[in-house]
Structures are given as structure tokens and as C-alpha cells.
Amino acid sequence: MVFNEEKKAVDWIFRYGNEALATLEKLPLDKMIGNSFSSLFSNMDAKWLHVYERATLYGETLEIMDYSPEIDTNLKIICFPTFPGHCGCILFNADQMKSISEENHLVRLAAVALKSNPTI
């Protein structure tokens, strides 16, 4: 994280990423690593900073689901503290995620069981 004199987060620098992140961010990984978010995305939305700041400064693990105008994608982000001055984030394209409740899972299991053994 990059902080100003008042200890407020103003930016962050990509220190690690993988190809899945590069695909989601729509940038080559080698262009992201070592560079600040604001230098790559001039339309940076400060809402991300508040979550990352809380994980970094207060040790909170947080989840945010919101639209990213920077990459025109709905995101689910899990952000967690790593070591002083840093946080880790796992990003997902929210539109590509599937959710299954335990009830739906049990119904599907029963259907599979009945299909494979109709005498049940």
C-alpha cells in the first residue's frame, strides 16, 4: 500500500500476481508487477483503497463485491492482511461465479442417487 502523510491509502503497487489476475485486469503480468494501480488505470475508483487499507492497517479479512469501472467487470474480492504495510487480494469475476446452497446440493445428490439406482 502507498500511504500519504495522514496514513491514508492513496494507491497500491502490484507485488505479485498470476496469469488469472492478468486476464482479469486485461493487462500483461509483467506490466503490472512493480507498478502502481493508478499508473495503470487512470480511472481508479477509491472504493478499493478503503478495503485494502483496512486489511493492511487493522488486520481485517474483508470481502467486497462491486463493479470495477477500471476493467468494466463485476468483481468479488477477498482481501486479507499479509505482513506490515501489505495485504493480499484474491479477485474473481463475479459474473462467472456459480453459487450453490447446501439445500440445492442435497437435492442434486438425491437426484443423482435416484438416477443411478431407481429402486431407492
Side-chain angles (χ1 to χ4, degrees):
M1 296 293 311
V2 178
F3 296 95
N4 64 14
E5 298 78 28
E6 290 84 39
K7 300 237 190 252
K8 292 289 183 189
V10 294
D11 207 344
W12 69 89
I13 298 171
F14 289 97
R15 296 294 182 200
Y16 170 80
N18 58 26
E19 287 304 321
L21 177 65
T23 299
L24 189 59
E25 297 283 7
K26 302 173 185 164
L27 289 171
L29 195 56
D30 62 344
K31 184 174 181 180
M32 292 177 9
I33 302 302
N35 289 303
S36 69
F37 189 82
S38 66
S39 72
L40 300 171
F41 297 97
S42 60
N43 61 336
M44 180 175 88
D45 191 328
K47 68 184 165 200
W48 311 116
L49 288 170
H50 304 301
V51 174
Y52 300 167
E53 178 183 74
R54 285 175 57 182
T56 301
L57 293 178
Y58 307 114
E60 296 177 307
T61 298
L62 303 164
E63 178 181 288
I64 182 172
M65 293 186 74
D66 209 336
Y67 173 74
S68 170
E70 299 90 349
I71 57 174
D72 189 30
T73 304
N74 291 307
L75 294 177
K76 174 181 179 175
I77 301 172
I78 300 171
C79 189
F80 51 93
T82 53
F83 51 94
H86 296 78
C87 66
C89 298
I90 303 171
L91 284 70
F92 303 90
N93 180 330
D95 295 330
Q96 295 176 350
M97 295 186 74
K98 294 181 181 178
S99 178
I100 184 167
S101 69
E102 186 173 337
E103 180 182 345
N104 285 341
H105 181 67
L106 293 174
V107 168
R108 288 183 183 160
L109 284 176
V112 169
L114 285 173
K115 196 176 210 178
S116 63
N117 188 354
T119 60
I120 296 179

